[in-house]
Amino acid sequence: LIEIYEQHIRAINDLEEMAMLYYEVGSIYETYMGDVDKATTYYLRVLDADQFYQPALSSLGKIYESVGNWPKCIEMREREAKVANEPERLVEVYFSIGKIYEERLVQIDRAKESYRKALEIQPNYLPALRALKVIHFLQRDWEGVIRLAHMQEQFTETPEEKAILFCEIGKISRERLSNMPNAIQSYAQALHLVPGYLNAAKPLAELYMEAKR
């Protein structure tokens, strides 16, 4: 089958068709023969014919990720981002770039930029919201954490999950920012969502007691 593809490739001059056939050969090597090196060779030939052929960029990105070649993986994902037509795929690409910058290359500013690009396309993409919130927490940017927790709450469905986020906001407001009115309001919102919720009721009672002193 591969030889048939090769003969066809040698007989044509159309770059678009050539890219498609090279990709088919690469897929055979990767999927059916488990030969990642050969698959990589053919996927790169695809890009020689069409540098923005999305299936090849996506496949190469996965291969480079699997072998830990992070710079090459990012290069393929960034090129894919330029041609991705589906918003869902574009969000996934930017998020994956952010995770590599954050966890593998420890380039936090670039990670934040990638997560923000994902959120510009899909503001309710919770994985990016959570990842950004963790970065702001580690950087002790408490206002940033609160802002992202409020955004996360807007796109969270269950009362229990919303209550957890309001408690998080309350705790930071109380312990990090000494903003007692905001802490009281946040714990009260959590308690309204989940009546009897101890993680909100206890600190709220303490804050009321402190306010009476």
Side-chain angles (χ1 to χ4, degrees), residues 154-195:
Q154 291 175 20
F155 302 117
T156 299
E157 295 183 359
T158 70
E160 292 78 12
E161 290 174 320
K162 287 177 176 285
I164 290 171
L165 289 165
F166 277 123
C167 284
E168 181 181 342
I169 294 167
K171 184 179 178 66
I172 291 172
S173 297
R174 180 187 185 186
E175 298 180 2
R176 303 295 185 178
L177 298 175
S178 298
N179 186 340
M180 302 314 166
N182 194 57
I184 289 171
Q185 181 184 23
S186 299
Y187 285 127
Q189 286 175 297
L191 206 55
H192 175 74
L193 287 163
V194 183

Side-chain angles (χ1 to χ4, degrees), residues 56-195:
L57 291 169
S58 180
S59 295
L60 281 168
K62 291 175 183 176
I63 288 173
Y64 288 134
E65 182 177 17
S66 70
V67 299
N69 189 336
W70 309 118
K72 277 291 184 181
C73 179
I74 287 176
E75 179 189 341
M76 294 301 118
R77 297 262 162 87
E78 287 180 339
R79 286 167 66 175
E80 185 181 357
K82 293 179 180 179
V83 294
N85 294 320
E86 298 178 357
E88 295 83 1
R89 177 56 188 162
L90 191 53
V91 167
E92 291 173 357
V93 168
Y94 279 130
F95 179 72
S96 69
I97 291 171
K99 294 300 284 185
I100 292 170
Y101 274 129
E102 180 187 3
E103 298 177 356
R104 303 296 182 175
L105 301 178
V106 197
Q107 297 182 27
I108 303 304
D109 287 341
R110 290 192 172 185
K112 288 165 69 174
E113 180 183 355
S114 297
Y115 293 145
R116 285 172 182 148
K117 285 180 178 178
L119 291 171
E120 285 173 5
I121 301 163
Q122 187 177 331
N124 65 341
Y125 191 64
L126 291 176
L129 281 171
R130 295 190 192 103
L132 256 184
K133 192 175 70 174
V134 169
I135 289 176
H136 282 279
F137 185 90
L138 294 174
Q139 293 179 332
R140 304 175 70 84
D141 176 8
W142 308 121
E143 295 287 357
V145 173
I146 287 175
R147 184 181 70 255
L148 288 160
H150 274 299
M151 291 174 64
Q152 192 176 341
E153 181 273 327
Q154 291 175 20
F155 302 117
T156 299
E157 295 183 359
T158 70
E160 292 78 12
E161 290 174 320
K162 287 177 176 285
I164 290 171
L165 289 165
F166 277 123
C167 284
E168 181 181 342
I169 294 167
K171 184 179 178 66
I172 291 172
S173 297
R174 180 187 185 186
E175 298 180 2
R176 303 295 185 178
L177 298 175
S178 298
N179 186 340
M180 302 314 166
N182 194 57
I184 289 171
Q185 181 184 23
S186 299
Y187 285 127
Q189 286 175 297
L191 206 55
H192 175 74
L193 287 163
V194 183

